[in-house]
Amino acid sequence: MPDYYFQADHLSVGYHGNAILKDVTIGVDRGEILTLIGPNGAGKSTLLKSLAGLLPSLSGHIYLAGRELSDMSGRELAKKMAVVFTDKMYTEMMTCEEVVASGRYPYTGRFGLLSDSDLDIVDESMKMTYVSELKNRDYSQISDGQKQRVLLARALCQQPELILLDEPTSYLDIRYKLEFLATLQQLTRERELSVVMSLHELDLAKRISDRILCIGNSGIERYGTPEEIFREGYITELFDINPQNFENNALYQYIEKLENDKTDFYPTK
């Protein structure tokens, strides 16, 4: 029986039978945030796709709410899990509001008609990601950053118990990065939303995460709390950085501050 609300047990993932990551065992409870960090190309997106059921795993098991992911129907899964990846979403003459509203379809009847309560959820989700002013805009005509926020609203519109996000802040400016992550953390508290995501911003990952999975060029390296991960010397090791080459410059100072800073930007849980 799984120990966590969402859990991967001895999971191996990759393509065409070739494993990129092996023997991954991780878990996240209700109301927790698990963040994946590491260099580009190490396998973070591949792992997320397998956890979402979009890429068949090579071995191992994935459990959601006590059930194996492979045993759940698409509609069952859509009511519990939402996914936001970096892949482009192609729409044909859909407004941003219509894109967000598509997140309600797991709950509608066979004709996909939205009730008043569905429309209220659409409106609330757009407010939470600051895209209400875009509701009547053609989705294909807005910026990448705006599209990212609309897709985040679509995911929240599903009212999932678990959300998987691949670099959700990649196209957002600093204001929207902070506002979205603060909203995400608020949802973990108020709705016990579980979150698994990848982030490039290490300072934000440190401050918002309950657990962190470090994926290096050689595979899974560390898994633990931010306090266990951000210890002196490890980040330079994870990203294959020689500190002697960067001493006294901005990158070295950033890493040094990251490993020694004990303050929290976000309120503690």
Side-chain angles (χ1 to χ4, degrees):
M1 179 64 67
D3 297 320
Y4 297 94
Y5 173 73
F6 182 64
Q7 179 173 327
D9 184 25
H10 298 289
L11 195 69
S12 293
V13 302
Y15 301 91
H16 310 298
N18 298 315
I20 295 176
L21 298 173
K22 299 179 180 179
D23 200 28
V24 179
T25 297
I26 54 174
V28 58
D29 277 325
R30 296 296 303 270
E32 288 189 338
I33 296 176
L34 168 63
T35 303
L36 282 52
I37 65 170
N40 288 335
K44 299 186 298 296
S45 295
T46 301
L47 177 57
L48 282 169
K49 287 178 180 178
S50 291
L51 291 175
L54 302 176
L55 176 68
S57 56
L58 303 181
S59 63
H61 304 273
I62 305 170
Y63 299 95
L64 174 60
R67 295 181 59 190
E68 192 150 7
L69 209 66
S70 58
D71 293 336
M72 302 176 70
S73 69
R75 183 173 288 269
E76 283 181 301
L77 197 55
K79 289 182 178 181
K80 289 187 175 294
M81 176 193 293
V83 177
V84 181
F85 284 170
T86 53
D87 300 335
K88 298 289 186 182
M89 176 179 176
Y90 295 98
T91 61
E92 186 173 348
M93 298 181 67
M94 289 179 69
T95 66
C96 293
E97 184 179 37
E98 289 170 336
V99 171
V100 175
S102 67
R104 295 305 299 162
Y105 291 154
Y107 302 93
T108 61
R110 60 186 300 180
F111 298 110
L113 299 177
L114 299 178
S115 66
D116 288 342
S117 62
D118 288 322
L119 294 173
D120 288 341
I121 293 169
V122 172
D123 184 61
E124 178 189 10
S125 300
M126 297 187 78
K127 287 179 180 177
M128 293 174 69
T129 54
Y130 310 98
V131 293
S132 296
E133 70 277 9
L134 301 175
K135 62 184 300 182
N136 295 318
R137 294 276 302 277
D138 185 330
Y139 175 81
S140 66
Q141 300 300 313
I142 61 176
S143 70
D144 285 341
Q146 290 170 326
K147 287 178 180 177
Q148 187 77 344
R149 286 187 282 136
V150 169
L151 294 180
L152 294 172
R154 179 179 182 270
L156 296 179
C157 200
Q158 286 179 233
Q159 293 189 310
E161 297 176 0
L162 167 72
I163 186 169
L164 304 181
L165 306 118
D166 189 11
E167 301 294 347
T169 61
S170 57
Y171 296 109
L172 305 183
D173 62 30
I174 187 62
R175 170 195 167 186
Y176 290 120
K177 287 179 195 287
L178 297 177
E179 287 179 338
F180 173 70
L181 291 176
T183 297
L184 205 59
Q185 193 174 60
Q186 181 182 357
L187 290 171
T188 65
R189 298 174 182 174
E190 296 180 356
R191 301 184 186 177
E192 292 193 309
L193 178 70
S194 301
V195 178
V196 181
M197 65 178 171
S198 60
L199 281 181
H200 277 309
E201 298 89 347
L202 300 181
D203 52 339
L204 300 181
K206 178 180 179 180
R207 292 170 177 174
I208 198 174
S209 308
D210 294 287
R211 294 185 182 87
I212 293 178
L213 179 70
C214 302
I215 303 176
N217 291 319
S218 59
I220 303 298
E221 293 196 359
R222 289 191 185 185
Y223 174 56
T225 65
E227 292 76 19
E228 293 169 330
I229 299 301
F230 289 95
R231 292 181 174 176
E232 186 175 354
Y234 176 63
I235 295 302
T236 54
E237 178 185 328
L238 175 64
F239 287 89
D240 195 24
I241 298 170
N242 185 348
Q244 294 180 350
N245 294 337
F246 296 99
E247 193 165 3
N248 295 324
N249 75 5
L251 177 59
Y252 180 83
Q253 292 169 16
Y254 168 75
I255 293 174
E256 186 177 50
K257 183 178 186 299
L258 182 66
E259 293 176 334
N260 294 312
D261 185 10
K262 306 299 182 184
T263 61
D264 287 320
F265 181 82
Y266 298 99
T268 58
K269 291 189 175 183

